[in-house]
PDB file of all heavy atoms in Angstrom:
ATOM      1  N   LEU A   1     -23.754   0.251 -19.299  1.00  0.00           N
ATOM      2  CA  LEU A   1     -23.061   1.528 -19.665  1.00  0.00           C
ATOM      3  C   LEU A   1     -22.323   2.122 -18.511  1.00  0.00           C
ATOM      4  O   LEU A   1     -21.224   2.669 -18.629  1.00  0.00           O
ATOM      5  CB  LEU A   1     -24.051   2.521 -20.236  1.00  0.00           C
ATOM      6  CG  LEU A   1     -24.648   2.159 -21.603  1.00  0.00           C
ATOM      7  CD1 LEU A   1     -25.594   3.253 -22.083  1.00  0.00           C
ATOM      8  CD2 LEU A   1     -23.560   1.955 -22.636  1.00  0.00           C
ATOM      9  N   LEU A   2     -22.905   2.012 -17.304  1.00  0.00           N
ATOM     10  CA  LEU A   2     -22.221   2.584 -16.149  1.00  0.00           C
ATOM     11  C   LEU A   2     -20.977   1.798 -15.718  1.00  0.00           C
ATOM     12  O   LEU A   2     -20.143   2.250 -15.011  1.00  0.00           O
ATOM     13  CB  LEU A   2     -23.155   2.706 -14.937  1.00  0.00           C
ATOM     14  CG  LEU A   2     -24.194   3.822 -15.010  1.00  0.00           C
ATOM     15  CD1 LEU A   2     -24.902   4.039 -13.672  1.00  0.00           C
ATOM     16  CD2 LEU A   2     -23.567   5.137 -15.491  1.00  0.00           C
ATOM     17  N   ALA A   3     -20.893   0.500 -16.230  1.00  0.00           N
ATOM     18  CA  ALA A   3     -19.670  -0.267 -15.975  1.00  0.00           C
ATOM     19  C   ALA A   3     -18.481   0.423 -16.719  1.00  0.00           C
ATOM     20  O   ALA A   3     -17.345   0.410 -16.236  1.00  0.00           O
ATOM     21  CB  ALA A   3     -19.849  -1.671 -16.493  1.00  0.00           C
ATOM     22  N   ILE A   4     -18.765   1.048 -17.880  1.00  0.00           N
ATOM     23  CA  ILE A   4     -17.713   1.800 -18.569  1.00  0.00           C
ATOM     24  C   ILE A   4     -17.343   3.006 -17.746  1.00  0.00           C
ATOM     25  O   ILE A   4     -16.115   3.335 -17.621  1.00  0.00           O
ATOM     26  CB  ILE A   4     -18.240   2.238 -19.967  1.00  0.00           C
ATOM     27  CG1 ILE A   4     -18.637   1.009 -20.803  1.00  0.00           C
ATOM     28  CG2 ILE A   4     -17.190   3.097 -20.693  1.00  0.00           C
ATOM     29  CD1 ILE A   4     -19.313   1.383 -22.152  1.00  0.00           C
ATOM     30  N   PHE A   5     -18.307   3.703 -17.185  1.00  0.00           N
ATOM     31  CA  PHE A   5     -18.063   4.856 -16.355  1.00  0.00           C
ATOM     32  C   PHE A   5     -17.158   4.486 -15.188  1.00  0.00           C
ATOM     33  O   PHE A   5     -16.185   5.182 -14.861  1.00  0.00           O
ATOM     34  CB  PHE A   5     -19.401   5.412 -15.868  1.00  0.00           C
ATOM     35  CG  PHE A   5     -19.300   6.406 -14.730  1.00  0.00           C
ATOM     36  CD1 PHE A   5     -18.992   7.728 -14.998  1.00  0.00           C
ATOM     37  CD2 PHE A   5     -19.570   6.025 -13.423  1.00  0.00           C
ATOM     38  CE1 PHE A   5     -18.900   8.662 -13.973  1.00  0.00           C
ATOM     39  CE2 PHE A   5     -19.487   6.925 -12.395  1.00  0.00           C
ATOM     40  CZ  PHE A   5     -19.160   8.267 -12.655  1.00  0.00           C
ATOM     41  N   PHE A   6     -17.444   3.374 -14.484  1.00  0.00           N
ATOM     42  CA  PHE A   6     -16.681   2.962 -13.361  1.00  0.00           C
ATOM     43  C   PHE A   6     -15.326   2.400 -13.742  1.00  0.00           C
ATOM     44  O   PHE A   6     -14.338   2.489 -12.974  1.00  0.00           O
ATOM     45  CB  PHE A   6     -17.436   1.955 -12.510  1.00  0.00           C
ATOM     46  CG  PHE A   6     -18.485   2.583 -11.645  1.00  0.00           C
ATOM     47  CD1 PHE A   6     -19.815   2.420 -11.877  1.00  0.00           C
ATOM     48  CD2 PHE A   6     -18.111   3.369 -10.574  1.00  0.00           C
ATOM     49  CE1 PHE A   6     -20.768   3.008 -11.060  1.00  0.00           C
ATOM     50  CE2 PHE A   6     -19.047   3.975  -9.726  1.00  0.00           C
ATOM     51  CZ  PHE A   6     -20.392   3.772  -9.988  1.00  0.00           C
ATOM     52  N   PHE A   7     -15.201   1.871 -14.966  1.00  0.00           N
ATOM     53  CA  PHE A   7     -13.907   1.459 -15.492  1.00  0.00           C
ATOM     54  C   PHE A   7     -12.962   2.642 -15.609  1.00  0.00           C
ATOM     55  O   PHE A   7     -11.818   2.623 -15.186  1.00  0.00           O
ATOM     56  CB  PHE A   7     -14.086   0.747 -16.837  1.00  0.00           C
ATOM     57  CG  PHE A   7     -12.816   0.297 -17.482  1.00  0.00           C
ATOM     58  CD1 PHE A   7     -12.112  -0.743 -16.998  1.00  0.00           C
ATOM     59  CD2 PHE A   7     -12.332   0.969 -18.637  1.00  0.00           C
ATOM     60  CE1 PHE A   7     -10.896  -1.169 -17.614  1.00  0.00           C
ATOM     61  CE2 PHE A   7     -11.174   0.601 -19.252  1.00  0.00           C
ATOM     62  CZ  PHE A   7     -10.438  -0.495 -18.749  1.00  0.00           C
ATOM     63  N   VAL A   8     -13.497   3.750 -16.163  1.00  0.00           N
ATOM     64  CA  VAL A   8     -12.695   4.991 -16.333  1.00  0.00           C
ATOM     65  C   VAL A   8     -12.344   5.537 -14.972  1.00  0.00           C
ATOM     66  O   VAL A   8     -11.218   5.981 -14.728  1.00  0.00           O
ATOM     67  CB  VAL A   8     -13.458   5.988 -17.188  1.00  0.00           C
ATOM     68  CG1 VAL A   8     -12.692   7.310 -17.238  1.00  0.00           C
ATOM     69  CG2 VAL A   8     -13.617   5.452 -18.621  1.00  0.00           C
ATOM     70  N   ALA A   9     -13.304   5.527 -14.038  1.00  0.00           N
ATOM     71  CA  ALA A   9     -13.028   6.086 -12.710  1.00  0.00           C
ATOM     72  C   ALA A   9     -11.938   5.249 -11.992  1.00  0.00           C
ATOM     73  O   ALA A   9     -11.078   5.810 -11.317  1.00  0.00           O
ATOM     74  CB  ALA A   9     -14.328   6.071 -11.856  1.00  0.00           C
ATOM     75  N   GLY A  10     -12.027   3.933 -12.163  1.00  0.00           N
ATOM     76  CA  GLY A  10     -11.000   3.078 -11.573  1.00  0.00           C
ATOM     77  C   GLY A  10      -9.593   3.325 -12.156  1.00  0.00           C
ATOM     78  O   GLY A  10      -8.603   3.345 -11.420  1.00  0.00           O
ATOM     79  N   LEU A  11      -9.550   3.532 -13.496  1.00  0.00           N
ATOM     80  CA  LEU A  11      -8.268   3.842 -14.103  1.00  0.00           C
ATOM     81  C   LEU A  11      -7.697   5.138 -13.562  1.00  0.00           C
ATOM     82  O   LEU A  11      -6.493   5.232 -13.296  1.00  0.00           O
ATOM     83  CB  LEU A  11      -8.484   3.932 -15.659  1.00  0.00           C
ATOM     84  CG  LEU A  11      -8.732   2.669 -16.402  1.00  0.00           C
ATOM     85  CD1 LEU A  11      -9.063   2.991 -17.859  1.00  0.00           C
ATOM     86  CD2 LEU A  11      -7.556   1.697 -16.357  1.00  0.00           C
ATOM     87  N   GLU A  12      -8.567   6.154 -13.470  1.00  0.00           N
ATOM     88  CA  GLU A  12      -8.131   7.504 -12.990  1.00  0.00           C
ATOM     89  C   GLU A  12      -7.589   7.371 -11.572  1.00  0.00           C
ATOM     90  O   GLU A  12      -6.543   7.948 -11.229  1.00  0.00           O
ATOM     91  CB  GLU A  12      -9.268   8.475 -13.087  1.00  0.00           C
ATOM     92  CG  GLU A  12      -9.038   9.801 -12.396  1.00  0.00           C
ATOM     93  CD  GLU A  12      -7.875  10.583 -12.971  1.00  0.00           C
ATOM     94  OE1 GLU A  12      -7.531  10.359 -14.164  1.00  0.00           O
ATOM     95  OE2 GLU A  12      -7.311  11.408 -12.244  1.00  0.00           O
ATOM     96  N   LEU A  13      -8.331   6.665 -10.725  1.00  0.00           N
ATOM     97  CA  LEU A  13      -7.925   6.587  -9.336  1.00  0.00           C
ATOM     98  C   LEU A  13      -6.597   5.832  -9.179  1.00  0.00           C
ATOM     99  O   LEU A  13      -5.687   6.278  -8.455  1.00  0.00           O
ATOM    100  CB  LEU A  13      -8.987   5.882  -8.506  1.00  0.00           C
ATOM    101  CG  LEU A  13      -8.768   5.885  -6.984  1.00  0.00           C
ATOM    102  CD1 LEU A  13      -8.894   7.288  -6.444  1.00  0.00           C
ATOM    103  CD2 LEU A  13      -9.776   4.999  -6.274  1.00  0.00           C
ATOM    104  N   LYS A  14      -6.459   4.728  -9.898  1.00  0.00           N
ATOM    105  CA  LYS A  14      -5.235   3.944  -9.795  1.00  0.00           C
ATOM    106  C   LYS A  14      -4.015   4.778 -10.312  1.00  0.00           C
ATOM    107  O   LYS A  14      -2.983   4.797  -9.680  1.00  0.00           O
ATOM    108  CB  LYS A  14      -5.343   2.633 -10.581  1.00  0.00           C
ATOM    109  CG  LYS A  14      -4.117   1.749 -10.462  1.00  0.00           C
ATOM    110  CD  LYS A  14      -4.243   0.437 -11.178  1.00  0.00           C
ATOM    111  CE  LYS A  14      -2.978  -0.380 -10.970  1.00  0.00           C
ATOM    112  NZ  LYS A  14      -3.079  -1.714 -11.668  1.00  0.00           N
ATOM    113  N   ARG A  15      -4.252   5.486 -11.418  1.00  0.00           N
ATOM    114  CA  ARG A  15      -3.138   6.254 -11.967  1.00  0.00           C
ATOM    115  C   ARG A  15      -2.724   7.364 -11.010  1.00  0.00           C
ATOM    116  O   ARG A  15      -1.511   7.630 -10.832  1.00  0.00           O
ATOM    117  CB  ARG A  15      -3.510   6.868 -13.300  1.00  0.00           C
ATOM    118  CG  ARG A  15      -2.322   7.449 -14.083  1.00  0.00           C
ATOM    119  CD  ARG A  15      -2.683   8.383 -15.142  1.00  0.00           C
ATOM    120  NE  ARG A  15      -1.500   8.896 -15.772  1.00  0.00           N
ATOM    121  CZ  ARG A  15      -0.710   9.839 -15.220  1.00  0.00           C
ATOM    122  NH1 ARG A  15      -0.969  10.309 -14.029  1.00  0.00           N
ATOM    123  NH2 ARG A  15       0.407  10.217 -15.836  1.00  0.00           N
ATOM    124  N   GLU A  16      -3.688   8.027 -10.377  1.00  0.00           N
ATOM    125  CA  GLU A  16      -3.387   9.102  -9.438  1.00  0.00           C
ATOM    126  C   GLU A  16      -2.516   8.619  -8.294  1.00  0.00           C
ATOM    127  O   GLU A  16      -1.584   9.280  -7.837  1.00  0.00           O
ATOM    128  CB  GLU A  16      -4.661   9.733  -8.908  1.00  0.00           C
ATOM    129  CG  GLU A  16      -5.325  10.697  -9.858  1.00  0.00           C
ATOM    130  CD  GLU A  16      -4.524  11.971 -10.031  1.00  0.00           C
ATOM    131  OE1 GLU A  16      -3.751  12.317  -9.116  1.00  0.00           O
ATOM    132  OE2 GLU A  16      -4.638  12.589 -11.123  1.00  0.00           O
ATOM    133  N   PHE A  17      -2.840   7.432  -7.765  1.00  0.00           N
ATOM    134  CA  PHE A  17      -2.163   6.922  -6.590  1.00  0.00           C
ATOM    135  C   PHE A  17      -0.875   6.199  -6.888  1.00  0.00           C
ATOM    136  O   PHE A  17      -0.047   6.004  -5.993  1.00  0.00           O
ATOM    137  CB  PHE A  17      -3.094   6.085  -5.749  1.00  0.00           C
ATOM    138  CG  PHE A  17      -4.087   6.835  -4.949  1.00  0.00           C
ATOM    139  CD1 PHE A  17      -5.319   7.145  -5.442  1.00  0.00           C
ATOM    140  CD2 PHE A  17      -3.781   7.270  -3.683  1.00  0.00           C
ATOM    141  CE1 PHE A  17      -6.253   7.904  -4.723  1.00  0.00           C
ATOM    142  CE2 PHE A  17      -4.687   8.038  -2.918  1.00  0.00           C
ATOM    143  CZ  PHE A  17      -5.928   8.325  -3.435  1.00  0.00           C
ATOM    144  N   VAL A  18      -0.739   5.775  -8.131  1.00  0.00           N
ATOM    145  CA  VAL A  18       0.507   5.007  -8.503  1.00  0.00           C
ATOM    146  C   VAL A  18       1.539   5.935  -9.133  1.00  0.00           C
ATOM    147  O   VAL A  18       2.739   5.849  -8.803  1.00  0.00           O
ATOM    148  CB  VAL A  18       0.193   3.870  -9.435  1.00  0.00           C
ATOM    149  CG1 VAL A  18       1.448   3.192  -9.961  1.00  0.00           C
ATOM    150  CG2 VAL A  18      -0.685   2.807  -8.701  1.00  0.00           C
ATOM    151  N   ALA A  19       1.119   6.786 -10.043  1.00  0.00           N
ATOM    152  CA  ALA A  19       2.052   7.625 -10.804  1.00  0.00           C
ATOM    153  C   ALA A  19       1.785   9.125 -10.734  1.00  0.00           C
ATOM    154  O   ALA A  19       2.583   9.900 -11.212  1.00  0.00           O
ATOM    155  CB  ALA A  19       2.082   7.167 -12.264  1.00  0.00           C
ATOM    156  N   GLY A  20       0.633   9.501 -10.169  1.00  0.00           N
ATOM    157  CA  GLY A  20       0.297  10.912 -10.114  1.00  0.00           C
ATOM    158  C   GLY A  20       0.839  11.587  -8.881  1.00  0.00           C
ATOM    159  O   GLY A  20       1.550  10.963  -8.077  1.00  0.00           O
ATOM    160  N   ASP A  21       0.452  12.808  -8.662  1.00  0.00           N
ATOM    161  CA  ASP A  21       0.929  13.555  -7.508  1.00  0.00           C
ATOM    162  C   ASP A  21       0.403  12.985  -6.212  1.00  0.00           C
ATOM    163  O   ASP A  21       1.011  13.204  -5.129  1.00  0.00           O
ATOM    164  CB  ASP A  21       0.495  15.060  -7.596  1.00  0.00           C
ATOM    165  CG  ASP A  21       1.261  15.771  -8.682  1.00  0.00           C
ATOM    166  OD1 ASP A  21       2.340  15.261  -9.081  1.00  0.00           O
ATOM    167  OD2 ASP A  21       0.819  16.852  -9.109  1.00  0.00           O
ATOM    168  N   LEU A  22      -0.691  12.214  -6.239  1.00  0.00           N
ATOM    169  CA  LEU A  22      -1.282  11.641  -5.041  1.00  0.00           C
ATOM    170  C   LEU A  22      -0.521  10.402  -4.554  1.00  0.00           C
ATOM    171  O   LEU A  22      -0.931   9.782  -3.567  1.00  0.00           O
ATOM    172  CB  LEU A  22      -2.746  11.332  -5.284  1.00  0.00           C
ATOM    173  CG  LEU A  22      -3.632  12.565  -5.524  1.00  0.00           C
ATOM    174  CD1 LEU A  22      -5.093  12.142  -5.612  1.00  0.00           C
ATOM    175  CD2 LEU A  22      -3.463  13.636  -4.453  1.00  0.00           C
ATOM    176  N   ARG A  23       0.536  10.029  -5.214  1.00  0.00           N
ATOM    177  CA  ARG A  23       1.361   8.949  -4.664  1.00  0.00           C
ATOM    178  C   ARG A  23       2.068   9.417  -3.369  1.00  0.00           C
ATOM    179  O   ARG A  23       2.547   8.598  -2.586  1.00  0.00           O
ATOM    180  CB  ARG A  23       2.376   8.456  -5.656  1.00  0.00           C
ATOM    181  CG  ARG A  23       3.442   9.467  -6.085  1.00  0.00           C
ATOM    182  CD  ARG A  23       4.334   8.890  -7.147  1.00  0.00           C
ATOM    183  NE  ARG A  23       5.364   9.836  -7.554  1.00  0.00           N
ATOM    184  CZ  ARG A  23       5.238  10.753  -8.464  1.00  0.00           C
ATOM    185  NH1 ARG A  23       4.061  10.933  -9.049  1.00  0.00           N
ATOM    186  NH2 ARG A  23       6.228  11.543  -8.799  1.00  0.00           N
ATOM    187  N   ASP A  24       2.097  10.714  -3.180  1.00  0.00           N
ATOM    188  CA  ASP A  24       2.548  11.286  -1.919  1.00  0.00           C
ATOM    189  C   ASP A  24       1.391  11.200  -0.889  1.00  0.00           C
ATOM    190  O   ASP A  24       0.352  11.830  -1.105  1.00  0.00           O
ATOM    191  CB  ASP A  24       2.959  12.752  -2.113  1.00  0.00           C
ATOM    192  CG  ASP A  24       3.432  13.408  -0.820  1.00  0.00           C
ATOM    193  OD1 ASP A  24       3.415  12.774   0.234  1.00  0.00           O
ATOM    194  OD2 ASP A  24       3.842  14.597  -0.891  1.00  0.00           O
ATOM    195  N   PRO A  25       1.523  10.410   0.159  1.00  0.00           N
ATOM    196  CA  PRO A  25       0.429  10.194   1.103  1.00  0.00           C
ATOM    197  C   PRO A  25      -0.093  11.494   1.701  1.00  0.00           C
ATOM    198  O   PRO A  25      -1.307  11.619   1.994  1.00  0.00           O
ATOM    199  CB  PRO A  25       1.005   9.313   2.202  1.00  0.00           C
ATOM    200  CG  PRO A  25       2.148   8.620   1.533  1.00  0.00           C
ATOM    201  CD  PRO A  25       2.700   9.612   0.518  1.00  0.00           C
ATOM    202  N   ARG A  26       0.780  12.507   1.845  1.00  0.00           N
ATOM    203  CA  ARG A  26       0.332  13.757   2.419  1.00  0.00           C
ATOM    204  C   ARG A  26      -0.648  14.494   1.519  1.00  0.00           C
ATOM    205  O   ARG A  26      -1.562  15.114   1.962  1.00  0.00           O
ATOM    206  CB  ARG A  26       1.540  14.641   2.743  1.00  0.00           C
ATOM    207  CG  ARG A  26       2.424  14.112   3.866  1.00  0.00           C
ATOM    208  CD  ARG A  26       3.693  14.929   3.956  1.00  0.00           C
ATOM    209  NE  ARG A  26       4.461  14.843   2.725  1.00  0.00           N
ATOM    210  CZ  ARG A  26       5.633  15.496   2.510  1.00  0.00           C
ATOM    211  NH1 ARG A  26       6.119  16.281   3.455  1.00  0.00           N
ATOM    212  NH2 ARG A  26       6.282  15.403   1.378  1.00  0.00           N
ATOM    213  N   ARG A  27      -0.425  14.398   0.200  1.00  0.00           N
ATOM    214  CA  ARG A  27      -1.346  15.012  -0.721  1.00  0.00           C
ATOM    215  C   ARG A  27      -2.630  14.169  -0.888  1.00  0.00           C
ATOM    216  O   ARG A  27      -3.700  14.738  -1.113  1.00  0.00           O
ATOM    217  CB  ARG A  27      -0.678  15.164  -2.112  1.00  0.00           C
ATOM    218  CG  ARG A  27       0.448  16.202  -2.122  1.00  0.00           C
ATOM    219  CD  ARG A  27       0.994  16.355  -3.534  1.00  0.00           C
ATOM    220  NE  ARG A  27       0.009  16.922  -4.436  1.00  0.00           N
ATOM    221  CZ  ARG A  27      -0.102  18.239  -4.666  1.00  0.00           C
ATOM    222  NH1 ARG A  27       0.661  19.104  -4.056  1.00  0.00           N
ATOM    223  NH2 ARG A  27      -1.027  18.692  -5.497  1.00  0.00           N
ATOM    224  N   ALA A  28      -2.481  12.865  -0.827  1.00  0.00           N
ATOM    225  CA  ALA A  28      -3.642  12.014  -0.981  1.00  0.00           C
ATOM    226  C   ALA A  28      -4.613  12.068   0.172  1.00  0.00           C
ATOM    227  O   ALA A  28      -5.812  11.862   0.008  1.00  0.00           O
ATOM    228  CB  ALA A  28      -3.191  10.565  -1.212  1.00  0.00           C
ATOM    229  N   ALA A  29      -4.087  12.395   1.355  1.00  0.00           N
ATOM    230  CA  ALA A  29      -4.919  12.359   2.586  1.00  0.00           C
ATOM    231  C   ALA A  29      -6.091  13.298   2.492  1.00  0.00           C
ATOM    232  O   ALA A  29      -7.197  13.022   2.971  1.00  0.00           O
ATOM    233  CB  ALA A  29      -4.041  12.682   3.818  1.00  0.00           C
ATOM    234  N   VAL A  30      -5.902  14.492   1.860  1.00  0.00           N
ATOM    235  CA  VAL A  30      -6.953  15.496   1.859  1.00  0.00           C
ATOM    236  C   VAL A  30      -8.195  15.061   1.060  1.00  0.00           C
ATOM    237  O   VAL A  30      -9.270  15.018   1.607  1.00  0.00           O
ATOM    238  CB  VAL A  30      -6.399  16.844   1.360  1.00  0.00           C
ATOM    239  CG1 VAL A  30      -7.486  17.898   1.421  1.00  0.00           C
ATOM    240  CG2 VAL A  30      -5.246  17.311   2.235  1.00  0.00           C
ATOM    241  N   PRO A  31      -8.040  14.739  -0.231  1.00  0.00           N
ATOM    242  CA  PRO A  31      -9.227  14.343  -0.972  1.00  0.00           C
ATOM    243  C   PRO A  31      -9.858  13.029  -0.490  1.00  0.00           C
ATOM    244  O   PRO A  31     -11.066  12.881  -0.531  1.00  0.00           O
ATOM    245  CB  PRO A  31      -8.762  14.238  -2.421  1.00  0.00           C
ATOM    246  CG  PRO A  31      -7.284  14.045  -2.324  1.00  0.00           C
ATOM    247  CD  PRO A  31      -6.866  14.796  -1.116  1.00  0.00           C
ATOM    248  N   VAL A  32      -9.031  12.105  -0.034  1.00  0.00           N
ATOM    249  CA  VAL A  32      -9.573  10.824   0.465  1.00  0.00           C
ATOM    250  C   VAL A  32     -10.401  11.061   1.750  1.00  0.00           C
ATOM    251  O   VAL A  32     -11.524  10.572   1.894  1.00  0.00           O
ATOM    252  CB  VAL A  32      -8.437   9.844   0.757  1.00  0.00           C
ATOM    253  CG1 VAL A  32      -8.949   8.613   1.488  1.00  0.00           C
ATOM    254  CG2 VAL A  32      -7.774   9.374  -0.576  1.00  0.00           C
ATOM    255  N   ALA A  33      -9.844  11.853   2.680  1.00  0.00           N
ATOM    256  CA  ALA A  33     -10.552  12.155   3.897  1.00  0.00           C
ATOM    257  C   ALA A  33     -11.837  12.943   3.591  1.00  0.00           C
ATOM    258  O   ALA A  33     -12.915  12.700   4.164  1.00  0.00           O
ATOM    259  CB  ALA A  33      -9.662  12.965   4.861  1.00  0.00           C
ATOM    260  N   ALA A  34     -11.730  13.898   2.667  1.00  0.00           N
ATOM    261  CA  ALA A  34     -12.903  14.658   2.269  1.00  0.00           C
ATOM    262  C   ALA A  34     -14.007  13.801   1.676  1.00  0.00           C
ATOM    263  O   ALA A  34     -15.205  13.964   1.956  1.00  0.00           O
ATOM    264  CB  ALA A  34     -12.520  15.772   1.289  1.00  0.00           C
ATOM    265  N   ALA A  35     -13.589  12.839   0.830  1.00  0.00           N
ATOM    266  CA  ALA A  35     -14.552  11.913   0.248  1.00  0.00           C
ATOM    267  C   ALA A  35     -15.263  11.060   1.297  1.00  0.00           C
ATOM    268  O   ALA A  35     -16.481  10.869   1.267  1.00  0.00           O
ATOM    269  CB  ALA A  35     -13.900  11.024  -0.804  1.00  0.00           C
ATOM    270  N   VAL A  36     -14.483  10.576   2.242  1.00  0.00           N
ATOM    271  CA  VAL A  36     -15.053   9.772   3.354  1.00  0.00           C
ATOM    272  C   VAL A  36     -16.031  10.597   4.176  1.00  0.00           C
ATOM    273  O   VAL A  36     -17.142  10.169   4.474  1.00  0.00           O
ATOM    274  CB  VAL A  36     -13.948   9.202   4.221  1.00  0.00           C
ATOM    275  CG1 VAL A  36     -14.532   8.511   5.473  1.00  0.00           C
ATOM    276  CG2 VAL A  36     -13.082   8.189   3.458  1.00  0.00           C
ATOM    277  N   GLY A  37     -15.624  11.828   4.527  1.00  0.00           N
ATOM    278  CA  GLY A  37     -16.532  12.697   5.231  1.00  0.00           C
ATOM    279  C   GLY A  37     -17.795  13.003   4.463  1.00  0.00           C
ATOM    280  O   GLY A  37     -18.907  13.076   5.016  1.00  0.00           O
ATOM    281  N   GLY A  38     -17.637  13.150   3.137  1.00  0.00           N
ATOM    282  CA  GLY A  38     -18.760  13.437   2.250  1.00  0.00           C
ATOM    283  C   GLY A  38     -19.682  12.263   2.035  1.00  0.00           C
ATOM    284  O   GLY A  38     -20.742  12.378   1.411  1.00  0.00           O
ATOM    285  N   VAL A  39     -19.260  11.079   2.491  1.00  0.00           N
ATOM    286  CA  VAL A  39     -20.107   9.889   2.453  1.00  0.00           C
ATOM    287  C   VAL A  39     -20.808   9.691   3.791  1.00  0.00           C
ATOM    288  O   VAL A  39     -22.007   9.424   3.878  1.00  0.00           O
ATOM    289  CB  VAL A  39     -19.305   8.642   2.070  1.00  0.00           C
ATOM    290  CG1 VAL A  39     -20.079   7.338   2.376  1.00  0.00           C
ATOM    291  CG2 VAL A  39     -18.885   8.701   0.595  1.00  0.00           C
ATOM    292  N   ILE A  40     -20.047   9.834   4.864  1.00  0.00           N
ATOM    293  CA  ILE A  40     -20.591   9.537   6.193  1.00  0.00           C
ATOM    294  C   ILE A  40     -21.660  10.512   6.655  1.00  0.00           C
ATOM    295  O   ILE A  40     -22.754  10.105   7.062  1.00  0.00           O
ATOM    296  CB  ILE A  40     -19.420   9.466   7.228  1.00  0.00           C
ATOM    297  CG1 ILE A  40     -18.513   8.306   6.934  1.00  0.00           C
ATOM    298  CG2 ILE A  40     -20.000   9.389   8.645  1.00  0.00           C
ATOM    299  CD1 ILE A  40     -17.267   8.291   7.837  1.00  0.00           C
ATOM    300  N   VAL A  41     -21.386  11.826   6.558  1.00  0.00           N
ATOM    301  CA  VAL A  41     -22.320  12.784   7.085  1.00  0.00           C
ATOM    302  C   VAL A  41     -23.666  12.805   6.323  1.00  0.00           C
ATOM    303  O   VAL A  41     -24.717  12.789   6.942  1.00  0.00           O
ATOM    304  CB  VAL A  41     -21.679  14.183   7.110  1.00  0.00           C
ATOM    305  CG1 VAL A  41     -22.689  15.249   7.570  1.00  0.00           C
ATOM    306  CG2 VAL A  41     -20.471  14.197   8.024  1.00  0.00           C
TER     307      VAL A  41
END
């Protein structure tokens, strides 16, 4: 069942970076960096 969950998450992420507002690297940098920081610390 969680494979379905990750399938939807993958679709959302790809769409955001290909056709959404996050295709602009300056906008994408903030949530990506925040996610990385939220994993490392």
